[in-house]
Amino acid sequence: MKTALITGITGQDGSYLAELLLEQGYKVYGLKRRTATPNLENIKSLINEIDFISGDLRDITSLTEAVQLAKPDEIYNLAAQSFVGDSWRQPIYTGEVTGLGVTNMLEAIRQAKPDARFYQASSSEMFGKVLETPQKETTPFYPRSPYGVAKVYGHWITVNYRESYDMYACSGILFNHESPRRGIDFVTRKVTDAVAKIKLGIQDKLHLGNIDSKRDWGFAGDYVKAMWLMLQQDEPDDYVIATGETHTVKEFVEIAFEHVGLNWQEHVVQDPQFMRPAEVDILLGDPSKAKQKLKWEPQINFEQLVKMMVDQDLENYH
Ligand code: NAP
Ligand code: F7E
């Protein structure tokens, strides 16, 4: 039986990855921060199957102890301050968790279990003000937010530990991926939650920022499979994971409202408070390498994703 340690177990991806690994017979440890009130909503059905270890990416003592305790074959570093918008409001905190936190994790592994395989959750936000389209593994980075900058650091320190210490360390450059478990701050879930509330008469207006930006959106359940595949290869490497399609926020909004028979223009209000100091205008990934080497293919398309999220949010309020 293989053993995995997942940081960020309470988040969107942590929950899908835990499900996948449990299905495959893994023993799963989850690193979890102490919270004053419960935040186990995403993993409520798995609570008895996961062994939780208390820890924080900023505290290397807790990470070293977690690795010593779990003795994992595979470590998936999914924990981060992951909300781009807040990274301007908390730039130092974001750097400490999303950037330096990766080094803390790598050092803990180097000290306690150097043969463990390591996955780092890198991001398409590293491409930012894109230098070529579509973006692939060789596209230079140009991050546009403190979050993006921190992820570039996390990416390169992962590559550096692989090259310096011969560690099996991979970096997945994942484009936006969503699901009914997406945090409510992110635009997709904010929209689908609002559509459900508007349909049910609980809310009337939806305040949004820039609806012209374009993203390559996939389904989180498909993307965690790619993380796992990366750690099953003979050699560690970095991969772009994306659908190869891009859509505007406006298209997402249109499909979500139409799905419940509403006209989005009667409800959406453009609100400057949700505009960003610097925007990533377009992201479009080229997943050819992952398709060829990992035999990975996304199963859920854009329209199915939007409808799945709206349907689940409607159900949540019934
Ligand atoms: P998420 O839902 O925001 O989950 C983040 C997780 O990190 C939560 O479990 C959170 O715990 C934990 N965390 C935050 N700060 C921590 C700290 N200091 N120490 C320990 N744990 C901490 O994010 P996600 O969408 O699942 O994304 C997973 C990872 O992939 C993140 O690193 C994200 O930056 C990256 N990524 C995401 C996407 C995407 O489109 N979803 C794309 C590319 C890369 P709490 O519950 O306690 O807050
Ligand atoms: O914004 C625009 C916003 O916050 C998407 C994270 O998982 O993916 C995510 O980062 C777009 C942006 O995600 C609102 O300006 C308009 O252009 O859903 P988002 P993100 O910034 O793309 C990457 C790959 C990650 O790695 C990150 O961790 O939507 N937008 N109006 C809005 N965005 C938000 N949040 N709220 C609005 O009201």
Side-chain angles (χ1 to χ4, degrees):
M1 188 205 270
K2 278 199 196 171
T3 300
L5 171 64
I6 303 175
T7 75
I9 188 85
T10 55
Q12 171 187 258
D13 291 5
S15 68
Y16 283 103
L17 181 64
E19 272 171 15
L20 176 82
L21 297 181
L22 287 166
E23 271 165 31
Q24 308 216 22
Y26 277 67
K27 179 163 181 56
V28 174
Y29 288 88
L31 187 92
K32 189 186 156 317
R33 314 192 265 187
R34 196 202 78 86
T35 51
T37 49
N39 65 342
L40 299 172
E41 182 59 25
N42 284 339
I43 43 170
K44 57 178 187 277
S45 61
L46 310 174
I47 286 171
N48 296 327
E49 295 174 76
I50 296 169
D51 282 61
F52 293 101
I53 304 177
S54 183
D56 190 298
L57 275 199
R58 289 168 299 172
D59 187 333
I60 191 169
T61 305
S62 68
L63 303 180
T64 309
E65 278 184 14
V67 177
Q68 278 166 346
L69 186 84
K71 297 183 189 60
D73 301 295
E74 297 170 10
I75 297 172
Y76 296 86
N77 185 37
L78 309 185
Q81 190 305 87
S82 76
F83 185 42
V84 173
D86 262 9
S87 77
W88 278 280
R89 291 179 276 271
Q90 301 181 28
I92 294 164
Y93 172 77
T94 302
E96 283 174 1
V97 177
T98 306
L100 210 51
V102 185
T103 314
N104 284 335
M105 195 68 240
L106 285 162
E107 271 299 298
I109 298 168
R110 198 167 74 85
Q111 305 297 336
K113 194 156 187 315
D115 65 337
R117 294 189 168 203
F118 178 73
Y119 173 86
Q120 167 57 16
S122 285
S123 165
S124 53
E125 281 293 299
M126 301 190 302
F127 297 123
K129 191 172 179 187
V130 296
L131 294 171
E132 67 175 336
T133 296
Q135 297 85 49
K136 48 186 188 281
E137 291 79 4
T138 51
T139 304
F141 300 140
Y142 189 151
R144 290 276 274 176
S145 62
Y147 170 83
V149 173
K151 281 288 180 188
V152 171
Y153 174 84
H155 178 84
W156 281 117
I157 200 72
T158 301
V159 174
N160 182 260
Y161 270 55
R162 179 168 75 217
E163 294 175 357
S164 303
Y165 303 114
D166 204 21
M167 286 168 66
Y168 190 109
C170 299
S171 184
I173 307 175
L174 271 55
F175 282 61
N176 298 53
H177 47 279
E178 318 292 314
S179 74
R181 299 180 203 164
R182 185 58 142 152
I184 200 82
D185 287 327
F186 301 93
V187 76
T188 55
R189 184 74 198 291
K190 181 175 171 181
V191 169
T192 61
D193 177 74
V195 164
K197 284 181 171 160
I198 292 168
K199 181 69 183 170
L200 299 171
I202 307 167
Q203 182 176 328
D204 183 34
K205 297 294 181 202
L206 167 59
H207 290 246
L208 291 177
N210 174 21
I211 59 172
D212 296 320
S213 58
K214 295 175 119 179
R215 291 290 182 273
D216 180 330
W217 274 297
F219 171 53
D222 288 338
Y223 284 41
V224 298
K225 180 91 187 285
M227 298 175 187
W228 175 75
L229 283 169
M230 281 180 221
L231 296 200
Q232 313 312 311
Q233 306 306 306
D234 291 339
E235 297 296 330
D237 204 349
D238 307 323
Y239 297 86
V240 159
I241 302 298
T243 68
E245 260 185 47
T246 191
H247 298 273
T248 58
V249 173
K250 196 196 291 174
E251 282 173 77
F252 190 104
V253 168
E254 273 168 1
I255 296 175
F257 277 84
E258 261 171 38
H259 185 51
V260 297
L262 292 172
N263 177 0
W264 70 276
Q265 277 149 320
E266 290 169 15
H267 301 280
V268 171
V269 178
Q270 195 126 49
D271 187 335
Q273 72 164 301
F274 297 110
M275 303 296 242
R276 292 175 177 179
E279 181 60 281
V280 172
D281 295 322
I282 175 169
L283 290 173
L284 171 62
D286 174 358
S288 309
K289 180 175 170 183
K291 285 189 178 181
Q292 195 213 330
K293 295 205 166 163
L294 304 177
K295 312 278 176 257
W296 176 84
E297 285 279 350
Q299 304 298 315
I300 302 284
N301 71 27
F302 178 65
E303 202 166 320
Q304 288 170 320
L305 175 67
V306 182
K307 291 178 178 171
M308 173 208 296
M309 292 177 69
V310 172
D311 288 342
Q312 186 58 55
D313 275 319
L314 275 171
E315 179 131 348
N316 292 347
Y317 289 109
H318 268 118

